[in-house]
Amino acid sequence: MAQWDLEADVVVAGSGGAGLTAAILAADNGAEVVVVERSDKVGGTTAVSGGGLWVPLNDHMAEVGATDSREEAMAYCKTLTAGQAPDEIVEAFVDTAAEMVRYLEEHTPVAFRATSMPDYRAEEIGAKAGGRTLDSEMLKKSELGEWEEKLRPSPLMFVPLKIEESLAGMAQPSVIPVAEVVERMKGGIVASGNALVGRLLMGCIQRGIPIHLETRARELVLEDGRVGGLRTERDGATFSIGARGGVVLACGGFEWNDALRSKHIAVDIAGHCSPASNEGDGLAMAQAVGAEIANMREAWIYPGAVVPGEEHEGRPVSRWVMAERTLPHVILVNKAGRRFANEAQNYHDLAKSFEDASNLPCWAVFDSQYRSKYPMLTVMPGDPDPDWLAKSDTLDSLGGEQGIDAAGLEATVARWNELVAQGRDDDFHRGEGAYERWLGDPAADHPNLGTIADPPFYALPVHAHSAGTKGGPRTNAKGEVLREGGGVIAGLYAAGNVMANVAGPAYYGGGGTIGTAMTWGYICGKNAAAAAKA
């Protein structure tokens, strides 16, 4: 028998949305729980995210006049997963996600509101034009007491804005309630992923669940064929924790592990917005005990860009390219100067086009019409042009300076302007989807289409960036990790980006990452607690 420095019923590795949800559910189902977190901050990738959850059938949908049914949700999810995720786990997600939200709202400080964001593929069977994406209620950070400084800060989501305020302000900066936002900041209010993690953390604090920071999960310990504990590394020494009911892996993906990423991910990824501790620890531990691995080619990839000199925790800040591809007067082109996709579609589907290496890097090409009305990364309309932003009075010289084929660029812009004049993108159908139009400028002649005609012209380099990977140990509908060759690895559970994602190759809608992660955390926590009782 192994010698333990500490024993519990359930040990959770990771303190993001999946891990904290698992810890809460295990505790509420009678288990003694311990959480270990590799870094010195709580929250994982969830804390630095927009904090939304995509949850079908949720109780808040009526707030935006939406309805839902199991049949519609199932049809939509299965259409998008296209058979690349087992039906049983897709069904478990649809049947459990709303239950998870309801439980957390009834038993913890977690609280949500519905948004009007359409599903990412709003024209597919079973899709909804709003209501399935939930936004966490804001939080006064001081309510965390001594844990306030342990909440992982976000380099991007530090301004306390609701999801709809943030995205509406992207197209019309003047609609942002600046005075109100200033008061929120003065009051120590946080939103987005910080608010969500903070509320989950409060739930853990209320239950007395210990969270051991700077404690890196290193090895799963097998006893009589089942996982009975976890060896961690703390202060340079081994610290072993026994787990009578099992271990829940919720410690993120492997996007920061260059060797693993280059081996499995087809796209050349230049940056990440997630914590640098996501190096595949959970994947390595699961593989070492014989786990079946799946979905390894998939990741949450988005078009990103970097402002020179901007850093967070010593690394370049990865900024999402959103306005700079969805609003009027801008297109994305590759080195040949050609458009290659519908720029305004959801970022996950757009990033599929990056699997063709000829489309990286690409450039957001726009003109003074765009520049005068819309934001460009950290630069607002009316701000001076930064010296790092390429601009020229002609498309020909702009292309030459950036290594873009000048003739191709001029021909593409001419074609684009023809399409804008007719009010329809016959080449890539930009602006025809409800989600695309929702992200556009409602005050423009067309929310997503606008000519590129007024000099100076600008070019912003865009690369593939990631918010995490989607591959890892496969689980069943109970969250149990499956063994290569058949059966389950008793005592081992997985949730969040560490596992083979419930959506397979797909992304259901805004918050699809956290919605699936927390649902699986809920499932894992309940079943690990039941195993401890047994």
Side-chain angles (χ1 to χ4, degrees):
M1 296 288 289
Q3 297 297 310
W4 307 115
D5 297 299
L6 179 67
E7 287 191 72
D9 292 323
V10 176
V11 179
V12 178
S15 67
L20 297 184
T21 302
I24 288 168
L25 266 294
D28 286 4
N29 281 272
E32 181 185 359
V33 184
V34 168
V35 177
V36 297
E37 164 58 47
R38 172 177 168 175
S39 75
D40 64 346
K41 295 288 191 294
V42 174
T45 306
T46 307
V48 300
S49 74
L53 277 72
W54 191 86
V55 177
L57 300 161
N58 74 76
D59 296 341
H60 292 273
M61 294 183 73
E63 296 168 5
V64 293
T67 61
D68 207 351
S69 71
R70 184 180 188 274
E71 292 71 26
E72 290 172 305
M74 207 70 75
Y76 178 71
C77 290
K78 289 186 177 181
T79 295
L80 267 62
T81 56
Q84 295 185 53
D87 282 354
E88 70 157 346
I89 68 168
V90 176
E91 291 168 7
F93 167 65
V94 170
D95 290 336
T96 310
E99 176 187 317
M100 174 271 295
V101 167
R102 190 178 307 120
Y103 183 89
L104 290 177
E105 290 193 307
E106 290 175 355
H107 296 90
T108 77
V110 170
F112 299 102
R113 73 179 75 85
T115 75
S116 61
M117 183 186 293
D119 293 343
Y120 278 173
R121 299 262 196 97
E123 286 65 48
E124 297 283 0
I125 183 172
K128 292 292 171 179
R132 285 176 173 163
T133 294
L134 298 175
D135 192 7
S136 176
E137 294 287 0
M138 296 184 191
L139 171 71
K140 190 167 187 176
K141 201 176 170 186
S142 61
E143 293 184 49
L144 294 172
E146 63 183 15
W147 284 92
E148 179 179 354
E149 298 306 315
K150 297 299 183 181
L151 183 63
R152 176 171 292 283
S154 172
L156 300 178
M157 307 294 180
F158 55 87
V159 178
L161 289 168
K162 302 172 186 176
I163 286 176
E164 288 176 302
E165 288 175 339
S166 176
L167 293 175
M170 183 177 76
Q172 297 177 304
S174 62
V175 306
I176 295 176
V178 175
E180 186 176 342
V181 170
V182 169
E183 289 304 309
R184 292 173 190 168
M185 297 181 77
K186 287 180 179 178
I189 301 295
V190 292
S192 307
N194 257 209
L196 175 58
V197 167
R199 289 178 176 277
L200 287 167
L201 177 57
M202 287 172 65
C204 290
I205 294 168
Q206 292 168 353
R207 288 159 174 78
I209 298 171
I211 301 175
H212 296 264
L213 300 178
E214 298 181 274
T215 303
R216 183 178 183 179
R218 281 295 201 179
E219 181 185 5
L220 296 163
V221 180
L222 294 175
E223 292 189 325
D224 299 324
R226 66 173 286 121
V227 172
L230 182 67
R231 287 198 179 95
T232 72
E233 181 183 323
R234 188 167 74 174
D235 296 327
T238 298
F239 186 79
S240 299
I241 309 173
R244 291 179 284 268
V247 172
V248 179
L249 297 177
C251 45
F254 57 86
E255 64 273 14
W256 282 91
N257 186 315
D258 293 344
L260 280 174
R261 196 182 65 251
S262 62
K263 178 180 178 181
H264 295 289
I265 306 299
V267 175
D268 182 15
I269 297 175
H272 316 281
C273 67
S274 58
S277 54
N278 290 349
E279 293 184 299
D281 291 353
L283 172 66
M285 289 187 289
Q287 285 183 298
V289 295
E292 180 183 353
I293 305 301
N295 216 46
M296 293 294 288
R297 286 177 52 84
E298 299 293 336
W300 309 105
I301 301 174
Y302 59 92
V306 172
V307 175
E310 187 180 36
E311 291 189 345
H312 177 73
E313 297 181 342
R315 295 175 177 83
V317 174
S318 168
R319 290 198 167 271
W320 296 59
V321 172
M322 289 282 286
E324 304 87 354
R325 61 181 177 84
T326 61
L327 296 176
H329 312 297
V330 62
I331 55 175
L332 288 182
V333 301
N334 57 22
K335 294 173 187 174
R338 303 296 186 188
R339 292 177 68 210
F340 53 88
N342 171 0
E343 299 94 338
Q345 66 187 306
N346 72 81
Y347 73 82
H348 186 264
D349 286 349
L350 173 60
K352 298 291 186 183
S353 64
F354 294 156
E355 293 181 10
D356 181 344
S358 69
N359 292 329
L360 286 176
C362 57
W363 289 262
V365 173
F366 51 99
D367 69 354
S368 62
Q369 295 178 89
Y370 179 98
R371 183 72 185 83
S372 66
K373 291 186 283 189
Y374 305 124
M376 191 281 304
L377 299 186
T378 57
V379 184
M380 292 294 110
D383 290 348
D385 291 333
D387 56 11
W388 48 262
L389 178 62
K391 71 174 180 178
S392 178
D393 287 334
T394 68
L395 290 168
D396 180 82
S397 59
L398 183 70
E401 291 169 7
Q402 292 295 298
I404 306 169
D405 182 84
L409 178 59
E410 288 189 318
T412 295
V413 170
R415 170 64 176 167
W416 170 252
N417 289 339
E418 291 173 1
L419 297 172
V420 172
Q422 73 176 19
R424 186 179 66 252
D425 176 13
D426 289 336
D427 293 347
F428 294 102
H429 308 287
R430 173 169 158 182
E432 294 179 11
Y435 174 74
E436 299 162 33
R437 294 192 296 272
W438 187 82
L439 280 180
D441 181 356
D445 292 337
H446 187 291
N448 308 104
L449 309 182
T451 59
I452 300 172
D454 295 355
F457 302 100
Y458 300 85
L460 172 70
V462 176
H463 294 78
H465 290 218
S466 90
T469 51
K470 301 172 64 177
R474 191 189 292 281
T475 77
N476 61 18
K478 294 181 178 180
E480 298 171 305
V481 172
L482 302 181
R483 185 183 300 279
E484 183 73 40
V488 302
I489 300 175
L492 184 60
Y493 304 82
N497 284 352
V498 75
M499 66 178 283
N501 192 265
V502 177
Y507 203 150
Y508 299 135
T513 310
I514 303 175
T516 53
M518 287 177 59
T519 300
W520 236 246
Y522 177 90
I523 289 170
C524 290
K526 289 177 65 175
N527 286 306
K533 291 180 181 178

